[in-house]
Amino acid sequence: GSVQSQTGQSSCEQCPSGTFPDQPGIMCVPCPYRLGSEANSELCSFCADKFYLNDANVNVEDLIKDPNDFCLPCPINSQCQRNTTIQTLQGNPGFWRGTLQKKV
């Protein structure tokens, strides 16, 4: 997403990652807790660092509405960079997963 923060501005400014444009498109606001975004995004459509998405089939509207239900804290002995899902969740060295459908 982009914003036009000044009257008469000839071009828009891109919102940085971790933000999205407010409704009037005047300023970039931080994503809600647990959510993240790419630069120039209209929505915060994935889980932020230190969280993982527990349901790969959730639609973006539900994710934004209830991030606490879908973006869970990264389990102990795991690594969760932004946009981590239950399937891409990685264990720290020396730890392994028996299935891609459960946490480490």
Side-chain angles (χ1 to χ4, degrees), residues 3 28 39 66 80 84 90-91 98:
V3 295
C28 299
D66 294 312
C80 297
T84 295
Q90 294 185 2

Side-chain angles (χ1 to χ4, degrees), residues 35-103:
L35 294 179
S37 69
E38 297 289 347
N40 202 31
S41 292
E42 294 289 328
L43 300 170
C44 299
S45 59
F46 55 79
C47 297
D49 286 339
K50 301 181 183 176
F51 296 95
Y52 73 96
L53 181 65
N54 68 344
D55 182 354
N57 296 317
V58 67
N59 64 49
V60 174
E61 292 82 19
D62 288 339
L63 177 64
I64 292 169
K65 181 180 170 189
D66 294 312
N68 291 344
D69 291 343
F70 299 105
C71 293
L72 303 182
C74 195
I76 296 171
N77 297 313
S78 299
Q79 300 172 26
C80 297
Q81 297 176 354
R82 68 183 184 158
N83 208 12
T84 295
T85 67
I86 188 74
Q87 290 82 14
T88 62
L89 182 67
Q90 294 185 2
N92 288 337
F95 292 86
W96 59 278
R97 297 173 63 183
T99 175
L100 295 180
Q101 301 307 317
K102 296 181 182 176
K103 64 184 182 182

